[in-house]
């Protein structure tokens, strides 16, 4: 069980909180009698329940704020391997659950999200550094709890760093981000309404031996994101999708050399198209330029299905199209100018003959 909910403030409906409020505001000491043991503090009771289930809870990492009081001390990520392969962002502060809950938790994961410049959520930050130690995202902490793996390992391959948890592998980039492999609305995680659970309408067999994320889809809680498949995708579902990517072996990745690949393929395509027009002639250029433009989408498709790698292909394709049209127009203009000059020479020769 994983909670995509942060209980940062005490429950104001708790009897203990009400007692403290009356004492603080009015100087009155009030008491309650006949209560079962433990029910006077809702937060402590929730912490007790979470400790029995060994649930993974949430925390939030600050980057512009600092802790002014004694901060909580969640357990950092136990990680080994090629640590120099990643350089995650450094947080300046941390926000945890209220102490009566936080002290009972077996593990935590941060719930920070990072959207792209266009406002679309495509990646998940899996690692954040704080005071020289690494902390896991809620997805990563949940995966480690589900697989009963206390330690993660960082490895590198041809495409870049990889987080290894048991047999599961999550490719990441230099900053510790992982691409979320959304599979469409009809193939995502199953949703179960809390109302159905509380009314005992849900079948317990549906969640038995499953990884369960508990969160909210209410718009007012600001946990809905614009993703490639939806304009209002619940944040809790993104964690479920990422864990499923790791367990099913369908994780996507952007190679660390993708920027260099884009630059070299774009430059190479431009040089080849120009050489084709200059030395092979318009006929060969007209044939090989489209072939060259289709080569890179084909290569990108092969890498996607064989390694889950997302490589850029727009640069060489657009370059081949623009240069083909530009060189064709340039050759057409040159031939037209030559034809015009020949026509003028023919006209002058004819005039000389007549004279």
């Amino acid at each position: 069980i994983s909670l995509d909910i942060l209980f940062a403030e005490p429950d104001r409906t708790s009897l203990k909180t009400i007692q403290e409020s009356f004492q603080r505001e009015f100087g009155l000491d009030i008491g309650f009698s006949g209560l079962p043991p433990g029910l006077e503090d809702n937060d402590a009771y929730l912490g007790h329940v979470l400790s029995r289930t060994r649930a993974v809870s949430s925390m939030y990492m600050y980057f512009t704020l600092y802790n002014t009081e004694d901060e909580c001390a969640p357990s950092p990520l136990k990680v080994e391997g090629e640590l120099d392969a990643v350089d995650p962002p450094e947080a300046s502060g941390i926000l945890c659950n209220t102490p009566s809950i936080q002290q009972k938790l077996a593990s935590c994961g941060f719930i920070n999200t990072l959207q792209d410049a266009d406002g679309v959520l495509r990646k998940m930050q899996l690692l954040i550094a704080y005071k020289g130690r690494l902390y896991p995202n809620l997805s990563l902490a949940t995966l480690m709890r589900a697989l009963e793996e206390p330690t993660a390992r960082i490895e590198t391959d041809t495409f870049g760093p990889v987080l290894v948890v048991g047999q599961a592998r999550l490719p990441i980039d230099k900053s510790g981000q992982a691409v979320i492999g959304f599979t469409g609305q009809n193939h995502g995680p199953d949703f179960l309404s809390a109302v159905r659970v509380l009314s005992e309408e849900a079948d317990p067999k549906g969640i038995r031996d499953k990884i369960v994320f508990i969160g909210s889809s209410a718009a007012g809680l600001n946990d809905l994101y614009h993703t490639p498949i939806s304009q209002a995708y619940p944040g809790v579902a993104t964690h479920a999708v990422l864990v499923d990517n790791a367990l099913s072996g369908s994780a996507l990745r952007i190679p660390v050399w993708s920027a260099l690949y884009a630059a070299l393929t774009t430059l190479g395509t431009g040089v080849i198209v120009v050489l084709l027009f200059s030395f092979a002639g318009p006929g060969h250029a007209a044939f090989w330029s489209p072939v060259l433009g289709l080569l890179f989408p084909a290569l990108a498709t092969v890498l996607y299905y064989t390694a889950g790698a997302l490589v850029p292909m727009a640069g060489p394709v657009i370059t081949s199209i623009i240069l083909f049209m530009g060189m064709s127009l340039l050759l057409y203009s040159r031939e037209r100018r030559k034809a015009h000059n020949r026509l003028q020479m023919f006209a002058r020769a004819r005039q000389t003959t007549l004279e």
Side-chain angles (χ1 to χ4, degrees):
I1 297 176
S2 184
L3 292 175
D4 185 22
I5 303 172
L6 184 62
F7 302 96
E9 297 181 354
D11 186 354
R12 297 184 183 274
T13 64
S14 175
L15 298 181
K16 180 181 178 180
T17 305
I18 294 175
Q19 286 178 317
E20 294 174 350
S21 176
F22 268 78
Q23 175 63 36
R24 182 177 60 255
E25 301 294 337
F26 307 108
L28 298 177
D29 292 322
I30 61 174
F32 303 94
S33 61
L35 291 174
L39 292 186
E40 70 280 356
D41 188 345
N42 294 347
D43 292 327
Y45 185 74
L46 176 59
H48 172 68
V49 173
L50 293 178
S51 66
R52 293 179 58 189
T53 60
R54 296 179 59 80
V56 181
S57 189
S58 303
M59 60 183 178
Y60 187 83
M61 310 297 279
Y62 290 121
F63 290 92
T64 56
L65 301 176
Y66 298 86
N67 295 91
T68 58
E69 300 178 355
D70 293 337
E71 59 189 34
C72 59
S75 299
L77 175 67
K78 295 180 180 179
V79 59
E80 57 186 26
E82 302 178 51
L83 302 183
D84 294 338
V86 296
D87 185 21
E90 180 82 22
S92 59
I94 185 170
L95 177 64
C96 294
N97 297 277
T98 186
S100 55
I101 296 177
Q102 187 69 37
Q103 296 169 1
K104 299 291 185 179
L105 297 174
S107 61
C108 281
F110 61 83
I111 54 176
N112 300 64
T113 56
L114 181 63
Q115 296 166 272
D116 291 344
D118 58 359
V120 179
L121 180 64
R122 299 184 178 91
K123 300 179 182 179
M124 185 76 74
Q125 186 74 43
L126 290 186
L127 299 173
I128 290 180
Y130 180 61
K131 292 186 175 181
R133 311 183 79 173
L134 294 178
Y135 289 85
N137 179 277
L138 182 65
S139 306
L140 178 57
T142 303
L143 178 64
M144 296 177 68
R145 171 65 63 192
L147 297 179
E148 297 183 352
E149 292 287 345
T151 304
R153 181 176 179 82
I154 297 178
E155 299 178 355
T156 56
D157 58 16
T158 306
F159 300 97
V162 181
L163 263 175
V164 181
V165 180
Q167 298 299 317
R169 300 173 65 86
L170 269 173
I172 55 177
D173 60 14
K174 180 70 174 179
S175 64
Q177 295 184 23
V179 179
I180 307 173
F182 295 103
T183 55
Q185 293 282 25
N186 298 327
H187 303 282
D190 296 327
F191 290 86
L192 181 61
S193 170
V195 174
R196 294 188 58 199
V197 175
L198 295 175
S199 61
E200 299 183 353
E201 296 179 6
D203 186 0
K205 296 180 181 179
I207 58 175
R208 184 172 297 158
D209 298 326
K210 301 287 182 65
I211 299 175
V212 178
F213 285 89
I214 301 176
S216 174
S217 59
L221 295 179
N222 198 29
D223 195 33
L224 298 176
Y225 298 94
H226 187 185
T227 67
I229 63 171
S230 174
Q231 294 185 354
Y233 200 76
V236 63
T238 61
H239 296 291
V241 170
L242 197 57
V243 170
D244 180 70
N245 292 161
L247 294 176
S248 62
S250 59
L252 302 179
R253 65 193 313 180
I254 298 177
V256 293
W257 39 260
S258 60
L260 179 62
Y261 172 85
L264 292 179
T265 54
T266 300
L267 179 62
T269 299
V271 172
I272 293 174
V273 171
V274 172
L275 292 177
L276 284 173
F277 272 95
S278 300
F279 299 101
H284 288 85
F287 174 78
W288 288 108
S289 292
V291 172
L292 186 64
L294 294 175
L295 173 64
F296 296 102
L299 178 60
T301 302
V302 171
L303 289 175
Y304 174 79
Y305 283 104
T306 58
L310 303 174
V311 297
M313 58 181 177
V317 172
I318 294 175
T319 299
S320 64
I321 294 174
I322 292 177
L323 283 180
F324 175 77
M325 296 177 63
M327 294 296 292
S328 297
L329 181 61
L330 181 63
L331 289 177
Y332 172 75
S333 300
R334 188 180 67 177
E335 294 300 323
R336 186 175 180 181
R337 186 165 53 252
K338 288 181 178 180
H340 179 69
N341 292 336
R342 285 195 298 267
L343 183 61
Q344 286 185 330
M345 293 176 60
F346 177 75
R348 285 195 296 268
R350 186 177 62 178
Q351 182 66 30
T352 302
T353 303
L354 291 177
E355 292 177 354

